[in-house]
Amino acid sequence: MSHTVLICDDAIFMRTMVGDILQQAGFEIVGEAETGVQAVEKYKQLRPDLVTMDIVMPDMGGIDAVREITKFDPGARVLMCSAMGQQALVVEAIQAGAKDFVVKPFQPSRVLEAVQRVLG
Amino acid sequence: MDSAQYAELFLTESREHVSAINHALLDLERGDGARGTDAIGAIFRSVHTIKGMSATMGYAPVAALAHELETLLDMMRRGTRTADATVMELLFTSADLLEHAIEGAVQGVPVSPEVGVMTARLKAEGKAGGDQRSSVAIQMPVDTGEWSAPAPDGAGLLVRVRLVEGTPLKGVRAFLVVQAARKLGEVAAVSPPLDELQADKFNHDFALRLHSDRSQGEVTTALRNAGDVAEVRIGEDADVATPAHTMEFSVAELAQGVAPVPAKAATVVPQQRSVRIDLRRLDTLMNLIGELVITRGRLNSLAATSEDPALVETVAQASRLVADLQDEIMTSRMVPVWQVFDRFPRLVRDAARSLDKQVEFTVEGKDVELDRSMLEEVGDPIVHLLRNAVDHGLETPQERTSKGKPATGRLLLSATRDRSAVAIRVEDDGRGIDRERVLRRARESGLVDVGKLELSDEELVRLIARAGFSTAERVTDLSGRGVGVDAVYSRVRALGGSVDIRSVKDEGTTVTLRLPLTLAIVRSLLARIGGETYALAMTHVRETVEFRPALLRTVQGREVLMLRDEVLPIVRLRTLVEFDGAPPRGLEQAIIVELSERRAALVVDALIGQQEIVVKQFDAVRDARTLFGGATILGDGAPALIIDVSSIL
Amino acid sequence: MPEARAAARTLLFRVAERVFGCDIDAVREIIPYRRATRLPGAPTYVQGLINLRGTIVTMLDLGARLDAERAPVRDGSIILATHGTRVVGIAVDEVMDVQMINEEAIAAGEGEAARGLVRGLGHLDDGVVVLVDIHALVSQVLL
């Protein structure tokens, strides 16, 4: 069984890129979300092994979404996707329950490293 | 997915974000309070997304500009900068430059130096506002590559951690390492202190005191697993001054940390991701379905002469399938009009500003869908109409006030759809078209009788739609002289649509464009003159009647058709197409064509029937009649000309 | 310049009793003659529109262009020539051969040259060939 992934990002471009990286590495992309609200809904519905979460999203940001997801499932494995200059937000996300982070621009190897760490 | 496809995706999405930024900027400029805060948040998100995408694509100038813009927006969000006129102008200009840099980056052409200038200017603005992100970089200690963190005082196991050089957001990484240590026991002290660590104020190493009952090996492994850790050293300092074992070690360690990811076969098909189709593929599909529709026509005419019921039934079935397929493909090509409309608010704002006019611009029906190629074609005519409305239609605030109108003019752009057409309306409450002037010009040019004193809306349209007939008094950079409604009119007609104008002095002007849903396939009526076949779009056909002599009347020396209580001018297709063959045998047919409120009876030899036809363009030939809106290919493979109804009314 | 022009590969074809030639590079393909749909208002030497595998192509009658009195071509072949991005059909009675032809400046007084359509003359073993300028022909007809 390959690991299932839910990709949360408001940019199709980013979802496609992360999706391609993970899919090529054998992951199964089971869902995508464009907003924090969607991310929480889809998490509950799909129960993926891994969530990649953008920080800045409309309609509930990534950090609040992590908080909600962790409340629902304390074992949730969330990988934050951040940009340079967001250290405070990433720290907040980790405190909210995210397990690790990657920084844009994404390099496939770094994304996969982080994913492996999160999946432990 | 190859890089070109990423680039296309990047471009599409970035354009949407630039459009969103422009919208939010307009909101910001207008609104205050909560609305303004929302707008800043929206702009911030879009800029942020563009930054992430462009960095990923390696488009450095875009990423740099977006980054500095984001800094300024962040300050606005936190309330340390206000949206004053200077900042607004900076934001508007930045949005334009961002768009320019995005287009340039994708096309691989060098960006204008203005982009760099603006990036620097925004950076300076950011510093002036005391932005923290910029100041972090300045305060950052110089990285010596040595172990530099002092050992924190107190009891517990001394653990030193060095991160991989160039670790992104190393402060956060250090925080993750500390978090990992906390899972093993109690972290008594951290050096430098945690808040400094989080703010990136350290070299690549830090130290902590840990009370834990785990073995040193376990501690080392656990901390390494926090990621980006080059080295973990446990125990009191003996050789701290000695630089660590070098990077080879750390790289090897790192590689070890990454377990090979199971390479799954392509049997795992993601179910919820949609498929993106190249636009060119859609065009090809459309062309193929066009060919198929023609072939269907041919097949149907062959089957009509067959006496094999199985064949007839099969052909009918294939015919229905082709129709379904056509519907599906047409639907997949439909895009909402906002994709083009979204850039108009900014355009109207800029136009109004440059003319010192006040305009309240409203857009309605943004979700109405139109074939992609049609939408692309119709963008320019709409721009033209909007500019005209702002430039010539709407008056200056003073002029409006003196007329007793509100100082701010209203401009409405709306799209509505019915079964087979989309109506796009541009409506202003300005001064209206000056009929006197149009009439005077028309008399001078001999276009109307010198004694003519009044113009109906229909006559008005016909006059101003004539090439070169423009009454603009001033030449402005918005709508130059000589390019008037005639340009719009001919473009829309070429698309198979029609233009309608209503104008009342001092109340305003409404221009309505009616467009078929697609450029490509049109339901048509086929008619015959001698051995020649002509097609007419059904959208313009009201009904057909037998052309009986009893219906003929003569009014003011001209032949007209009396249909019920209606008097219809007669247009003979035979004459129009200069057919000089044998005269028609038997009863002719009249096709009642109509376009807005103009009607006529088009007389043909015979009707063939209705059919879906594929509209094809052909090269314009010298001296040929401008009567045709294209050609189509009939079931027998021969081309037939399509009569442009608006040209005969 | 015309004198210095090297021998060019030329498509030879016949309209009525005369042999013409045109630069083979301008020729895309040759198809059997088919009737065109009349285009009202167009000059008489425009036979009309034909369907070339789904594309509408304008067809000219070279004979009628050079001599309005000549009867239109109703059989034979259509030379499909390219002019920029456009394709134009030229109805001829017969396509004959492809030969290397040396072009000579045209003698003054030839009526056809006045129309700007004839580039020059070429010599064959058994006669003279009139070299037609396809691009000039097309740009005189299409807008």
PDB file of all heavy atoms in Angstrom, chain A residues 11-14 17 20 23 25 32 56 84 86-87 100 110 117, chain B residues 1 6 13 48 51-52 56 173 200 225 228 261-262 273 276:
ATOM      1  N   ALA A  11      -2.873  27.590  -4.797  1.00  0.00           N
ATOM      2  CA  ALA A  11      -2.390  27.711  -6.178  1.00  0.00           C
ATOM      3  C   ALA A  11      -2.390  26.344  -6.858  1.00  0.00           C
ATOM      4  O   ALA A  11      -1.799  25.396  -6.348  1.00  0.00           O
ATOM      5  CB  ALA A  11      -0.988  28.299  -6.201  1.00  0.00           C
ATOM      6  N   ILE A  12      -3.061  26.272  -7.998  1.00  0.00           N
ATOM      7  CA  ILE A  12      -3.067  25.013  -8.763  1.00  0.00           C
ATOM      8  C   ILE A  12      -1.644  24.627  -9.129  1.00  0.00           C
ATOM      9  O   ILE A  12      -1.260  23.472  -9.100  1.00  0.00           O
ATOM     10  CB  ILE A  12      -3.852  25.174 -10.090  1.00  0.00           C
ATOM     11  CG1 ILE A  12      -5.253  25.687  -9.827  1.00  0.00           C
ATOM     12  CG2 ILE A  12      -3.952  23.859 -10.823  1.00  0.00           C
ATOM     13  CD1 ILE A  12      -5.965  26.062 -11.118  1.00  0.00           C
ATOM     14  N   PHE A  13      -0.886  25.662  -9.482  1.00  0.00           N
ATOM     15  CA  PHE A  13       0.504  25.445  -9.874  1.00  0.00           C
ATOM     16  C   PHE A  13       1.235  24.662  -8.791  1.00  0.00           C
ATOM     17  O   PHE A  13       1.901  23.663  -9.054  1.00  0.00           O
ATOM     18  CB  PHE A  13       1.157  26.808 -10.096  1.00  0.00           C
ATOM     19  CG  PHE A  13       2.629  26.753 -10.368  1.00  0.00           C
ATOM     20  CD1 PHE A  13       3.092  26.523 -11.649  1.00  0.00           C
ATOM     21  CD2 PHE A  13       3.540  26.937  -9.348  1.00  0.00           C
ATOM     22  CE1 PHE A  13       4.444  26.480 -11.899  1.00  0.00           C
ATOM     23  CE2 PHE A  13       4.899  26.888  -9.593  1.00  0.00           C
ATOM     24  CZ  PHE A  13       5.358  26.659 -10.870  1.00  0.00           C
ATOM     25  N   MET A  14       1.107  25.129  -7.549  1.00  0.00           N
ATOM     26  CA  MET A  14       1.809  24.490  -6.447  1.00  0.00           C
ATOM     27  C   MET A  14       1.259  23.091  -6.183  1.00  0.00           C
ATOM     28  O   MET A  14       2.006  22.161  -5.930  1.00  0.00           O
ATOM     29  CB  MET A  14       1.682  25.358  -5.184  1.00  0.00           C
ATOM     30  CG  MET A  14       2.619  26.550  -5.218  1.00  0.00           C
ATOM     31  SD  MET A  14       4.344  25.971  -5.276  1.00  0.00           S
ATOM     32  CE  MET A  14       5.188  27.519  -5.513  1.00  0.00           C
ATOM     33  N   MET A  17       2.642  20.818  -8.797  1.00  0.00           N
ATOM     34  CA  MET A  17       4.060  20.524  -8.628  1.00  0.00           C
ATOM     35  C   MET A  17       4.278  19.560  -7.464  1.00  0.00           C
ATOM     36  O   MET A  17       4.967  18.550  -7.614  1.00  0.00           O
ATOM     37  CB  MET A  17       4.814  21.827  -8.413  1.00  0.00           C
ATOM     38  CG  MET A  17       6.285  21.583  -8.227  1.00  0.00           C
ATOM     39  SD  MET A  17       7.234  23.067  -8.545  1.00  0.00           S
ATOM     40  CE  MET A  17       7.528  22.930 -10.285  1.00  0.00           C
ATOM     41  N   ASP A  20       2.991  16.189  -8.441  1.00  0.00           N
ATOM     42  CA  ASP A  20       3.878  15.476  -9.360  1.00  0.00           C
ATOM     43  C   ASP A  20       5.064  14.864  -8.618  1.00  0.00           C
ATOM     44  O   ASP A  20       5.441  13.719  -8.855  1.00  0.00           O
ATOM     45  CB  ASP A  20       4.388  16.433 -10.453  1.00  0.00           C
ATOM     46  CG  ASP A  20       3.315  16.711 -11.501  1.00  0.00           C
ATOM     47  OD1 ASP A  20       2.255  16.050 -11.448  1.00  0.00           O
ATOM     48  OD2 ASP A  20       3.528  17.576 -12.365  1.00  0.00           O
ATOM     49  N   GLN A  23       3.743  11.980  -6.479  1.00  0.00           N
ATOM     50  CA  GLN A  23       3.214  10.884  -7.276  1.00  0.00           C
ATOM     51  C   GLN A  23       4.347  10.098  -7.928  1.00  0.00           C
ATOM     52  O   GLN A  23       4.319   8.881  -7.965  1.00  0.00           O
ATOM     53  CB  GLN A  23       2.296  11.451  -8.345  1.00  0.00           C
ATOM     54  CG  GLN A  23       1.158  10.524  -8.672  1.00  0.00           C
ATOM     55  CD  GLN A  23       0.267  11.146  -9.721  1.00  0.00           C
ATOM     56  OE1 GLN A  23       0.162  12.359  -9.824  1.00  0.00           O
ATOM     57  NE2 GLN A  23      -0.348  10.309 -10.522  1.00  0.00           N
ATOM     58  N   ALA A  25       7.139   9.701  -6.752  1.00  0.00           N
ATOM     59  CA  ALA A  25       7.817   8.930  -5.723  1.00  0.00           C
ATOM     60  C   ALA A  25       6.927   7.805  -5.214  1.00  0.00           C
ATOM     61  O   ALA A  25       7.287   7.117  -4.275  1.00  0.00           O
ATOM     62  CB  ALA A  25       8.219   9.851  -4.580  1.00  0.00           C
ATOM     63  N   GLU A  32      -7.234  17.151  -2.996  1.00  0.00           N
ATOM     64  CA  GLU A  32      -6.618  18.465  -3.000  1.00  0.00           C
ATOM     65  C   GLU A  32      -7.575  19.447  -2.342  1.00  0.00           C
ATOM     66  O   GLU A  32      -8.789  19.288  -2.451  1.00  0.00           O
ATOM     67  CB  GLU A  32      -6.346  18.932  -4.437  1.00  0.00           C
ATOM     68  CG  GLU A  32      -5.298  18.094  -5.144  1.00  0.00           C
ATOM     69  CD  GLU A  32      -4.952  18.643  -6.529  1.00  0.00           C
ATOM     70  OE1 GLU A  32      -5.402  19.777  -6.844  1.00  0.00           O
ATOM     71  OE2 GLU A  32      -4.248  17.952  -7.267  1.00  0.00           O
ATOM     72  N   VAL A  56      -0.435  30.279   3.662  1.00  0.00           N
ATOM     73  CA  VAL A  56      -1.314  31.385   3.289  1.00  0.00           C
ATOM     74  C   VAL A  56      -2.399  30.872   2.342  1.00  0.00           C
ATOM     75  O   VAL A  56      -2.125  30.515   1.202  1.00  0.00           O
ATOM     76  CB  VAL A  56      -0.510  32.511   2.608  1.00  0.00           C
ATOM     77  CG1 VAL A  56      -1.415  33.658   2.228  1.00  0.00           C
ATOM     78  CG2 VAL A  56       0.595  32.993   3.534  1.00  0.00           C
ATOM     79  N   MET A  84      10.059  31.760   2.102  1.00  0.00           N
ATOM     80  CA  MET A  84      11.082  32.420   2.903  1.00  0.00           C
ATOM     81  C   MET A  84      10.415  33.560   3.666  1.00  0.00           C
ATOM     82  O   MET A  84       9.486  34.184   3.174  1.00  0.00           O
ATOM     83  CB  MET A  84      12.165  33.001   1.999  1.00  0.00           C
ATOM     84  CG  MET A  84      13.014  31.947   1.300  1.00  0.00           C
ATOM     85  SD  MET A  84      13.758  30.750   2.412  1.00  0.00           S
ATOM     86  CE  MET A  84      15.014  31.771   3.188  1.00  0.00           C
ATOM     87  N   GLN A  86       8.897  33.372   6.611  1.00  0.00           N
ATOM     88  CA  GLN A  86       7.704  33.036   7.394  1.00  0.00           C
ATOM     89  C   GLN A  86       8.038  32.255   8.651  1.00  0.00           C
ATOM     90  O   GLN A  86       7.212  31.491   9.137  1.00  0.00           O
ATOM     91  CB  GLN A  86       6.748  32.187   6.546  1.00  0.00           C
ATOM     92  CG  GLN A  86       6.090  32.967   5.422  1.00  0.00           C
ATOM     93  CD  GLN A  86       5.059  32.139   4.708  1.00  0.00           C
ATOM     94  OE1 GLN A  86       5.242  30.949   4.482  1.00  0.00           O
ATOM     95  NE2 GLN A  86       3.955  32.762   4.335  1.00  0.00           N
ATOM     96  N   GLN A  87       9.273  32.459   9.185  1.00  0.00           N
ATOM     97  CA  GLN A  87       9.669  31.587  10.293  1.00  0.00           C
ATOM     98  C   GLN A  87       8.675  31.602  11.449  1.00  0.00           C
ATOM     99  O   GLN A  87       8.351  30.550  11.997  1.00  0.00           O
ATOM    100  CB  GLN A  87      11.092  31.866  10.805  1.00  0.00           C
ATOM    101  CG  GLN A  87      11.506  33.307  10.898  1.00  0.00           C
ATOM    102  CD  GLN A  87      12.194  33.745   9.621  1.00  0.00           C
ATOM    103  OE1 GLN A  87      11.556  33.841   8.582  1.00  0.00           O
ATOM    104  NE2 GLN A  87      13.478  33.987   9.687  1.00  0.00           N
ATOM    105  N   ASP A 100       6.607  18.928  10.291  1.00  0.00           N
ATOM    106  CA  ASP A 100       7.838  19.384   9.648  1.00  0.00           C
ATOM    107  C   ASP A 100       7.458  20.446   8.621  1.00  0.00           C
ATOM    108  O   ASP A 100       6.277  20.793   8.508  1.00  0.00           O
ATOM    109  CB  ASP A 100       8.564  18.210   8.971  1.00  0.00           C
ATOM    110  CG  ASP A 100      10.077  18.437   8.897  1.00  0.00           C
ATOM    111  OD1 ASP A 100      10.494  19.556   8.534  1.00  0.00           O
ATOM    112  OD2 ASP A 100      10.832  17.498   9.192  1.00  0.00           O
ATOM    113  N   ARG A 110      14.264  17.596  -1.308  1.00  0.00           N
ATOM    114  CA  ARG A 110      13.978  18.138   0.028  1.00  0.00           C
ATOM    115  C   ARG A 110      12.543  17.823   0.438  1.00  0.00           C
ATOM    116  O   ARG A 110      12.277  17.530   1.599  1.00  0.00           O
ATOM    117  CB  ARG A 110      14.195  19.646   0.041  1.00  0.00           C
ATOM    118  CG  ARG A 110      15.640  20.050  -0.155  1.00  0.00           C
ATOM    119  CD  ARG A 110      15.882  21.444   0.394  1.00  0.00           C
ATOM    120  NE  ARG A 110      15.778  21.461   1.846  1.00  0.00           N
ATOM    121  CZ  ARG A 110      16.812  21.294   2.658  1.00  0.00           C
ATOM    122  NH1 ARG A 110      18.013  21.105   2.182  1.00  0.00           N
ATOM    123  NH2 ARG A 110      16.634  21.316   3.964  1.00  0.00           N
ATOM    124  N   ARG A 117      10.567  12.082   6.866  1.00  0.00           N
ATOM    125  CA  ARG A 117      10.686  12.391   8.296  1.00  0.00           C
ATOM    126  C   ARG A 117       9.305  12.408   8.953  1.00  0.00           C
ATOM    127  O   ARG A 117       9.121  11.885  10.041  1.00  0.00           O
ATOM    128  CB  ARG A 117      11.344  13.758   8.488  1.00  0.00           C
ATOM    129  CG  ARG A 117      12.850  13.750   8.259  1.00  0.00           C
ATOM    130  CD  ARG A 117      13.488  14.991   8.854  1.00  0.00           C
ATOM    131  NE  ARG A 117      13.028  16.224   8.261  1.00  0.00           N
ATOM    132  CZ  ARG A 117      13.622  16.823   7.230  1.00  0.00           C
ATOM    133  NH1 ARG A 117      14.699  16.303   6.686  1.00  0.00           N
ATOM    134  NH2 ARG A 117      13.139  17.937   6.754  1.00  0.00           N
TER     135      ARG A 117
ATOM    136  N   MET B   1       5.103  15.844 -15.965  1.00  0.00           N
ATOM    137  CA  MET B   1       4.814  17.184 -16.505  1.00  0.00           C
ATOM    138  C   MET B   1       6.128  17.880 -16.831  1.00  0.00           C
ATOM    139  O   MET B   1       7.052  17.901 -16.011  1.00  0.00           O
ATOM    140  CB  MET B   1       4.059  17.968 -15.444  1.00  0.00           C
ATOM    141  CG  MET B   1       3.132  18.965 -16.051  1.00  0.00           C
ATOM    142  SD  MET B   1       2.322  19.923 -14.776  1.00  0.00           S
ATOM    143  CE  MET B   1       0.877  20.433 -15.637  1.00  0.00           C
ATOM    144  N   TYR B   6       4.497  23.445 -16.860  1.00  0.00           N
ATOM    145  CA  TYR B   6       4.501  24.193 -15.611  1.00  0.00           C
ATOM    146  C   TYR B   6       4.435  25.692 -15.906  1.00  0.00           C
ATOM    147  O   TYR B   6       3.733  26.440 -15.253  1.00  0.00           O
ATOM    148  CB  TYR B   6       5.765  23.900 -14.798  1.00  0.00           C
ATOM    149  CG  TYR B   6       5.677  22.656 -13.961  1.00  0.00           C
ATOM    150  CD1 TYR B   6       6.610  21.646 -14.090  1.00  0.00           C
ATOM    151  CD2 TYR B   6       4.652  22.503 -13.031  1.00  0.00           C
ATOM    152  CE1 TYR B   6       6.540  20.497 -13.314  1.00  0.00           C
ATOM    153  CE2 TYR B   6       4.572  21.361 -12.251  1.00  0.00           C
ATOM    154  CZ  TYR B   6       5.512  20.356 -12.392  1.00  0.00           C
ATOM    155  OH  TYR B   6       5.427  19.235 -11.631  1.00  0.00           O
ATOM    156  N   GLU B  13      -2.214  30.922 -13.891  1.00  0.00           N
ATOM    157  CA  GLU B  13      -2.580  31.190 -12.511  1.00  0.00           C
ATOM    158  C   GLU B  13      -2.076  32.568 -12.069  1.00  0.00           C
ATOM    159  O   GLU B  13      -2.771  33.283 -11.352  1.00  0.00           O
ATOM    160  CB  GLU B  13      -2.036  30.091 -11.610  1.00  0.00           C
ATOM    161  CG  GLU B  13      -2.796  30.027 -10.318  1.00  0.00           C
ATOM    162  CD  GLU B  13      -2.619  28.706  -9.616  1.00  0.00           C
ATOM    163  OE1 GLU B  13      -1.707  27.953  -9.981  1.00  0.00           O
ATOM    164  OE2 GLU B  13      -3.395  28.445  -8.686  1.00  0.00           O
ATOM    165  N   HIS B  48       1.776  36.719  -2.419  1.00  0.00           N
ATOM    166  CA  HIS B  48       2.515  35.634  -1.783  1.00  0.00           C
ATOM    167  C   HIS B  48       2.540  34.396  -2.676  1.00  0.00           C
ATOM    168  O   HIS B  48       3.568  33.753  -2.854  1.00  0.00           O
ATOM    169  CB  HIS B  48       1.861  35.319  -0.436  1.00  0.00           C
ATOM    170  CG  HIS B  48       2.536  34.206   0.287  1.00  0.00           C
ATOM    171  ND1 HIS B  48       3.711  34.397   0.980  1.00  0.00           N
ATOM    172  CD2 HIS B  48       2.231  32.890   0.398  1.00  0.00           C
ATOM    173  CE1 HIS B  48       4.088  33.242   1.504  1.00  0.00           C
ATOM    174  NE2 HIS B  48       3.207  32.315   1.164  1.00  0.00           N
ATOM    175  N   LYS B  51       4.806  34.886  -5.543  1.00  0.00           N
ATOM    176  CA  LYS B  51       6.194  34.783  -5.093  1.00  0.00           C
ATOM    177  C   LYS B  51       6.627  33.317  -5.030  1.00  0.00           C
ATOM    178  O   LYS B  51       7.666  32.950  -5.569  1.00  0.00           O
ATOM    179  CB  LYS B  51       6.330  35.444  -3.718  1.00  0.00           C
ATOM    180  CG  LYS B  51       7.702  35.254  -3.078  1.00  0.00           C
ATOM    181  CD  LYS B  51       7.820  36.019  -1.772  1.00  0.00           C
ATOM    182  CE  LYS B  51       8.076  35.063  -0.618  1.00  0.00           C
ATOM    183  NZ  LYS B  51       8.324  35.747   0.652  1.00  0.00           N
ATOM    184  N   GLY B  52       5.799  32.494  -4.398  1.00  0.00           N
ATOM    185  CA  GLY B  52       6.141  31.086  -4.261  1.00  0.00           C
ATOM    186  C   GLY B  52       6.272  30.406  -5.612  1.00  0.00           C
ATOM    187  O   GLY B  52       7.224  29.671  -5.869  1.00  0.00           O
ATOM    188  N   THR B  56       9.728  29.041  -7.524  1.00  0.00           N
ATOM    189  CA  THR B  56       9.808  27.648  -7.940  1.00  0.00           C
ATOM    190  C   THR B  56      10.203  27.528  -9.412  1.00  0.00           C
ATOM    191  O   THR B  56      10.946  26.642  -9.799  1.00  0.00           O
ATOM    192  CB  THR B  56       8.449  26.958  -7.702  1.00  0.00           C
ATOM    193  OG1 THR B  56       8.116  27.123  -6.326  1.00  0.00           O
ATOM    194  CG2 THR B  56       8.507  25.491  -8.035  1.00  0.00           C
ATOM    195  N   ARG B 173      14.045  25.174  12.022  1.00  0.00           N
ATOM    196  CA  ARG B 173      14.626  23.833  12.084  1.00  0.00           C
ATOM    197  C   ARG B 173      15.166  23.587  13.491  1.00  0.00           C
ATOM    198  O   ARG B 173      14.954  22.524  14.083  1.00  0.00           O
ATOM    199  CB  ARG B 173      15.723  23.706  11.017  1.00  0.00           C
ATOM    200  CG  ARG B 173      16.286  22.310  10.857  1.00  0.00           C
ATOM    201  CD  ARG B 173      15.244  21.276  10.538  1.00  0.00           C
ATOM    202  NE  ARG B 173      14.577  21.497   9.251  1.00  0.00           N
ATOM    203  CZ  ARG B 173      13.516  20.803   8.837  1.00  0.00           C
ATOM    204  NH1 ARG B 173      12.988  19.860   9.610  1.00  0.00           N
ATOM    205  NH2 ARG B 173      12.971  21.058   7.688  1.00  0.00           N
ATOM    206  N   ASP B 200      16.453  33.235  13.908  1.00  0.00           N
ATOM    207  CA  ASP B 200      17.620  32.988  13.055  1.00  0.00           C
ATOM    208  C   ASP B 200      18.896  33.651  13.588  1.00  0.00           C
ATOM    209  O   ASP B 200      19.860  33.787  12.851  1.00  0.00           O
ATOM    210  CB  ASP B 200      17.371  33.506  11.621  1.00  0.00           C
ATOM    211  CG  ASP B 200      16.588  32.501  10.797  1.00  0.00           C
ATOM    212  OD1 ASP B 200      16.226  31.454  11.345  1.00  0.00           O
ATOM    213  OD2 ASP B 200      16.346  32.783   9.612  1.00  0.00           O
ATOM    214  N   ASN B 225      16.842  13.050  13.226  1.00  0.00           N
ATOM    215  CA  ASN B 225      15.599  12.856  12.492  1.00  0.00           C
ATOM    216  C   ASN B 225      14.745  14.126  12.408  1.00  0.00           C
ATOM    217  O   ASN B 225      13.739  14.155  11.712  1.00  0.00           O
ATOM    218  CB  ASN B 225      14.784  11.714  13.097  1.00  0.00           C
ATOM    219  CG  ASN B 225      15.389  10.370  12.729  1.00  0.00           C
ATOM    220  OD1 ASN B 225      16.202  10.285  11.801  1.00  0.00           O
ATOM    221  ND2 ASN B 225      15.010   9.325  13.444  1.00  0.00           N
ATOM    222  N   ASP B 228      17.805  18.176   8.502  1.00  0.00           N
ATOM    223  CA  ASP B 228      18.821  19.192   8.253  1.00  0.00           C
ATOM    224  C   ASP B 228      19.877  19.277   9.352  1.00  0.00           C
ATOM    225  O   ASP B 228      20.504  20.315   9.533  1.00  0.00           O
ATOM    226  CB  ASP B 228      18.181  20.576   8.058  1.00  0.00           C
ATOM    227  CG  ASP B 228      17.547  20.713   6.681  1.00  0.00           C
ATOM    228  OD1 ASP B 228      17.898  19.917   5.780  1.00  0.00           O
ATOM    229  OD2 ASP B 228      16.699  21.612   6.494  1.00  0.00           O
ATOM    230  N   VAL B 261      12.325   5.765  -1.282  1.00  0.00           N
ATOM    231  CA  VAL B 261      10.868   5.771  -1.326  1.00  0.00           C
ATOM    232  C   VAL B 261      10.412   4.647  -2.238  1.00  0.00           C
ATOM    233  O   VAL B 261      10.966   4.476  -3.313  1.00  0.00           O
ATOM    234  CB  VAL B 261      10.383   7.131  -1.875  1.00  0.00           C
ATOM    235  CG1 VAL B 261       8.873   7.149  -1.940  1.00  0.00           C
ATOM    236  CG2 VAL B 261      10.903   8.241  -1.000  1.00  0.00           C
ATOM    237  N   PRO B 262       9.465   3.866  -1.785  1.00  0.00           N
ATOM    238  CA  PRO B 262       9.018   2.763  -2.639  1.00  0.00           C
ATOM    239  C   PRO B 262       8.499   3.294  -3.963  1.00  0.00           C
ATOM    240  O   PRO B 262       7.608   4.140  -4.005  1.00  0.00           O
ATOM    241  CB  PRO B 262       7.894   2.119  -1.822  1.00  0.00           C
ATOM    242  CG  PRO B 262       7.467   3.169  -0.842  1.00  0.00           C
ATOM    243  CD  PRO B 262       8.689   3.969  -0.552  1.00  0.00           C
ATOM    244  N   ARG B 273      -8.047  14.104  -8.924  1.00  0.00           N
ATOM    245  CA  ARG B 273      -7.374  15.203  -9.606  1.00  0.00           C
ATOM    246  C   ARG B 273      -7.969  15.352 -10.991  1.00  0.00           C
ATOM    247  O   ARG B 273      -8.177  14.390 -11.695  1.00  0.00           O
ATOM    248  CB  ARG B 273      -5.885  14.923  -9.717  1.00  0.00           C
ATOM    249  CG  ARG B 273      -5.262  14.757  -8.357  1.00  0.00           C
ATOM    250  CD  ARG B 273      -3.793  14.532  -8.486  1.00  0.00           C
ATOM    251  NE  ARG B 273      -3.109  15.769  -8.792  1.00  0.00           N
ATOM    252  CZ  ARG B 273      -1.858  15.792  -9.217  1.00  0.00           C
ATOM    253  NH1 ARG B 273      -1.199  14.702  -9.442  1.00  0.00           N
ATOM    254  NH2 ARG B 273      -1.273  16.945  -9.448  1.00  0.00           N
ATOM    255  N   ARG B 276      -5.779  18.312 -16.896  1.00  0.00           N
ATOM    256  CA  ARG B 276      -5.649  19.570 -17.622  1.00  0.00           C
ATOM    257  C   ARG B 276      -5.409  19.280 -19.089  1.00  0.00           C
ATOM    258  O   ARG B 276      -4.602  18.432 -19.423  1.00  0.00           O
ATOM    259  CB  ARG B 276      -4.459  20.342 -17.092  1.00  0.00           C
ATOM    260  CG  ARG B 276      -4.831  21.240 -15.997  1.00  0.00           C
ATOM    261  CD  ARG B 276      -3.611  21.725 -15.280  1.00  0.00           C
ATOM    262  NE  ARG B 276      -3.756  21.396 -13.875  1.00  0.00           N
ATOM    263  CZ  ARG B 276      -4.711  21.880 -13.114  1.00  0.00           C
ATOM    264  NH1 ARG B 276      -5.574  22.731 -13.598  1.00  0.00           N
ATOM    265  NH2 ARG B 276      -4.804  21.528 -11.861  1.00  0.00           N
TER     266      ARG B 276
END
